[in-house]
Amino acid sequence: MSQEAVPEQAVPAQPKGLLQQMEELMAALNADLSQLDADLSGSRPTLTDGPDHA
């Protein structure tokens, strides 16, 4: 009987914790990618403005 009660209590709590962790990781990843995009866009102005592209 006690074996059945433990998984029932643990199952609803685990996905909520995992979902929260995934949301936090995705937010951090999005912030990192946005910063990387800004860094790359700002560091290569000559690729689109060079004499070969005129």
Side-chain angles (χ1 to χ4, degrees):
M1 290 185 174
S2 62
Q3 292 177 349
E4 293 176 11
V6 173
E8 289 176 6
Q9 293 175 355
V11 171
Q14 188 175 3
K16 183 178 180 183
L18 290 176
L19 179 60
Q20 184 176 0
Q21 288 178 4
M22 289 300 295
E23 289 175 346
E24 290 173 0
L25 288 172
M26 289 300 294
L29 179 60
N30 284 335
D32 289 344
L33 289 176
S34 295
Q35 183 63 49
L36 179 62
D37 183 44
D39 291 345
L40 291 176
S41 296
S43 67
R44 297 186 183 183
T46 57
L47 288 178
T48 56
D49 297 334
D52 293 337
H53 297 297

